[in-house]
């Protein structure tokens, strides 16, 4: 669980750094569409960084290992979804945009696993 909390903290740091980089370093270099894509990547990374923390805290208070699984799946989602959108924004390579839905599926799976963990914790 310590590792998951550290991953969450690192992801939070990276999210803020990439958000600031986009706002201050890329704004004049990217098209409006690509800037919106970058911002979407930052937004979803922060949402799911928060989900990683939620899963880690639930793991600490309940010792239901399903929460650990959900945290890892959220991390995979961040890498695939946000990571592919960051690269796509910078390069315009559509190959990377085609990876994005896999990250979205990982996010959905992570939420389902988290919900399942909650049922194990309270039920």
């Amino acid at each position: 669980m310590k590792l998951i909390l550290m991953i969450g903290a690192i992801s939070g740091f990276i999210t803020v750094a990439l958000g600031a980089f986009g706002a201050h370093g890329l704004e004049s270099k990217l098209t409006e569409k690509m800037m919106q894509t970058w911002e979407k990547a930052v937004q979803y990374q922060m949402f799911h960084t928060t989900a990683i923390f939620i899963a880690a805290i639930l793991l600490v208070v309940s010792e239901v290992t399903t929460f650990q699984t959900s945290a890892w799946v959220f991390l995979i989602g961040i890498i695939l979804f946000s990571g592919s959108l960051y690269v796509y924004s910078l390069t315009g390579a559509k190959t990377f945009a085609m990876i994005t839905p896999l990250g979205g599926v990982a996010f959905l799976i992570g939420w389902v696993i988290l919900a399942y963990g909650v049922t194990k914790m309270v039920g």
Side-chain angles (χ1 to χ4, degrees), residues 11-99:
S11 182
F13 175 89
I14 291 169
T15 305
V16 173
L18 290 174
F21 177 66
H24 302 290
L26 296 177
E27 193 168 36
S28 62
K29 294 175 177 61
L30 298 181
T31 66
E32 186 176 333
K33 179 182 184 280
M34 291 303 190
M35 196 65 217
Q36 289 172 349
T37 300
W38 183 275
E39 290 169 354
K40 185 65 65 182
V42 170
Q43 183 181 38
Y44 273 73
Q45 183 173 354
M46 187 55 83
F47 290 155
H48 290 90
T49 294
T50 303
I52 289 171
F53 274 108
I54 290 167
I57 292 166
L58 290 172
L59 177 62
V60 168
V61 300
S62 71
E63 297 184 18
V64 174
T65 58
T66 305
F67 294 124
Q68 182 175 353
T69 304
S70 68
W72 287 111
V73 175
F74 287 135
L75 179 61
I76 291 166
I78 289 170
I79 292 165
L80 294 176
F81 185 91
S82 295
S84 66
L85 289 181
Y86 292 133
V87 174
Y88 172 64
S89 296
L90 295 173
T91 67
K94 293 188 189 274
T95 305
F96 289 101
M98 293 169 40
I99 296 169

